[in-house]
Amino acid sequence: MPDAPQIQNATTLPTTTQSLPVSLIRAREAVMAPIRKMLQKAGITEQQWRVLRVLSENGRTDAGMLANRAALMSPSLSRIIQSMENSGLVSREADQNDRRRQYISITASGQAIIDTHLAEASDIAAYYRDILGDEDHDTLVALLQKLALGLDDQSQDT
């Protein structure tokens, strides 16, 4: 028996092939596949890699800013930092004036992971840029940042 035809109207969802959320998930999985292989060799998680990258780029960072820049929720970051501290990848210290505020720093061991995998990570990033071309790559990144910022702004208004 043939499938019933789809009725299109203003309240119909786009097909999954045209859905922004589904397209983003598919793109994320495709983008992350080679990165996951690299991280498996490094023995760290995606989240740990992001934390190390942010700390390597920015130096000592307070936990709130680190969570924001590494795209992690604060409760998740607390767990991740504890594990990374136990592994010797990061260190943390309390602010002398506000004991609730913590600063996180990358250790030599954490930086060694970045340094060891820098060439491979750069090759992966260059591969994505090659697929899209410089202009489309930069446009895509800018559009995704614009979308995220717009959705963040909207959620703060409600």
Side-chain angles (χ1 to χ4, degrees), residues 28 63 69 78 88 98 111 113 122-123 127 148:
R28 182 186 194 284
R69 289 183 174 167
S78 296
D98 181 356
Q111 187 61 51
I113 289 175
S122 294
D123 288 346
Y127 174 65

Side-chain angles (χ1 to χ4, degrees), residues 24-120:
L24 287 170
I25 291 167
R26 286 186 177 131
R28 182 186 194 284
E29 291 305 309
V31 164
M32 290 306 300
I35 295 170
R36 285 185 184 121
K37 287 180 186 175
M38 178 191 71
L39 296 178
Q40 187 174 28
K41 289 185 275 185
I44 61 172
T45 66
E46 295 173 39
Q47 296 84 358
Q48 290 172 330
W49 175 255
R50 293 197 312 261
V51 167
L52 291 176
R53 287 278 318 274
V54 169
L55 294 173
S56 180
E57 290 172 10
N58 298 286
R60 181 176 174 254
T61 305
D62 76 61
M65 183 62 71
L66 179 57
N68 181 279
R69 289 183 174 167
L72 293 165
M73 302 297 286
S74 290
S76 295
L77 178 66
S78 296
R79 248 184 354 266
I80 292 164
I81 293 302
Q82 182 64 48
S83 170
M84 293 177 79
E85 188 176 33
N86 292 343
S87 299
L89 302 176
V90 301
S91 63
R92 84 176 125 177
E93 62 184 276
D95 185 303
Q96 296 302 320
N97 299 320
D98 181 356
R99 297 304 238 169
R100 296 168 297 174
R101 188 175 190 183
Q102 293 190 344
Y103 290 98
I104 316 299
S105 299
I106 192 169
T107 64
S109 295
Q111 187 61 51
I113 289 175
I114 294 289
D115 295 345
T116 299
H117 298 281
L118 184 60
E120 185 175 2

